[in-house]
Amino acid sequence: MEPTVLDRIRANALPILTKTAHFSAPFITTFLLIHLSAPALANLGGSTLASQTMLLGREYYQTSLEPLLVLGPITIHAVSGVLKRMLSPPGRPPRKFSNLLSLTGYGILVLFLPVHFLTHRGYPMLETPPIYGVGPAELDYEFVKTGLKTWPIRSSVLYGGLVLSTTLHLVDGMTIIWNSWLKDSLSSSRLASWRREVRPRRILLALGCLALPVLTGLYALFKEPMMTFTSMAKRYEAVYLASLIYRI
């Protein structure tokens, strides 16, 4: 049977989409390690050290190169994954929706990332009262602390869900990239492939080394007293209330 036009499109597009999803991942990983280092360091120095670390990190990801280093790779990664699922032959998806990589990826894409981006980047820019445009210099970890103290359950679910989903997605995603691109270049048989039987160990290692320090850092921020003016705290609260998630 002669291939249809759609079959030819699939044959050409799917390998390209796989490569773009893989090649965008290191940029996202670099951003995540820089971005998550700030809340992790709150374990050592509270909101002061977290805010200072965040300001240093912004020198990487909040510059004129942000579309190339952060926003572009995230968009490419997400669009590639969605298009791969849409273009895959019926009954032969890249992986089941119940797969951990899919569950965490779509959870991040549909819920956790949009809420986080709008709350921390979009809504603070609103010039309407009582927000009055909370600028980057004013948007430090006192803002995060305000959310944790005012809406502890919602903020914990959103931050925790984002951190855990990202960590779990990272583990399985790195395994795929490693086995696809790196294992053949390694001579050591022990390192040549990230075998499935050691996957639980990789997950526990990632949760312990990446997710746990971030989550305990957020808890340290929650326990810390507020160190900002009441007027600024009210502006922070108004930013959160711009999101439907925090109004319901």
Side-chain angles (χ1 to χ4, degrees):
M1 183 177 177
E2 186 176 347
T4 65
V5 174
L6 183 56
D7 290 333
R8 288 194 290 269
I9 292 175
R10 285 176 178 144
N12 292 324
L14 289 176
I16 295 174
L17 292 172
T18 298
K19 289 184 174 68
T20 55
H22 289 181
F23 293 160
S24 59
F27 293 94
I28 302 172
T29 303
T30 302
F31 161 70
L32 286 173
L33 293 176
I34 295 172
H35 191 59
L36 294 178
S37 62
L41 287 173
N43 289 292
L44 302 177
S47 59
T48 300
L49 182 57
S51 296
Q52 292 172 348
T53 306
M54 179 185 65
L55 290 175
L56 290 174
R58 284 177 178 172
E59 294 299 318
Y60 170 79
Y61 62 82
Q62 280 192 17
T63 65
S64 59
L65 295 177
E66 184 179 27
L68 294 175
L69 297 175
V70 182
L71 300 180
I74 290 175
T75 302
I76 290 171
H77 193 77
V79 171
S80 297
V82 172
L83 287 178
K84 275 189 67 177
R85 184 169 293 277
M86 292 174 61
L87 290 175
S88 294
R92 292 169 54 194
R95 58 190 54 84
K96 295 180 179 179
F97 269 116
S98 58
N99 182 277
L100 186 61
L101 189 68
S102 297
L103 283 175
T104 53
Y106 287 109
I108 295 167
L109 177 64
V110 174
L111 175 61
F112 296 120
L113 183 57
V115 172
H116 185 78
F117 182 82
L118 288 173
T119 305
H120 293 70
R121 291 292 300 276
Y123 297 140
M125 297 175 64
L126 295 175
E127 296 290 345
T128 55
I131 296 175
Y132 296 112
V134 179
E138 300 171 305
L139 204 62
D140 56 16
Y141 268 82
E142 291 300 311
F143 175 76
V144 175
K145 198 189 301 181
T146 300
L148 289 169
K149 287 181 173 293
T150 310
W151 299 275
I153 296 177
R154 265 172 284 192
S155 295
S156 298
V157 169
L158 290 170
Y159 283 128
L162 180 59
V163 171
L164 291 173
S165 296
T166 301
T167 302
L168 294 172
H169 191 80
L170 178 67
V171 172
D172 278 355
M174 284 180 61
T175 302
I176 292 173
I177 293 173
W178 181 278
N179 289 334
S180 298
W181 301 99
L182 299 175
K183 69 175 183 179
D184 292 336
S185 63
L186 298 175
S187 58
S188 171
S189 60
R190 293 185 62 186
L191 294 177
S193 177
W194 287 8
R195 298 181 299 276
R196 186 170 185 82
E197 57 266 26
V198 296
R199 177 172 175 262
R201 195 182 309 166
R202 288 196 299 270
I203 291 176
L204 288 175
L205 183 64
L207 290 174
C209 294
L210 181 60
L212 183 60
V214 175
L215 295 177
T216 55
L218 291 172
Y219 180 73
L221 292 171
F222 170 72
K223 298 295 289 183
E224 191 179 86
M226 293 295 298
M227 293 185 288
T228 189
F229 293 111
T230 302
S231 58
M232 180 59 72
K234 293 296 183 183
R235 293 171 67 194
Y236 289 160
E237 290 175 10
V239 171
Y240 282 103
L241 289 172
S243 170
L244 178 63
I245 295 292
Y246 286 92
R247 292 201 304 270
I248 57 177

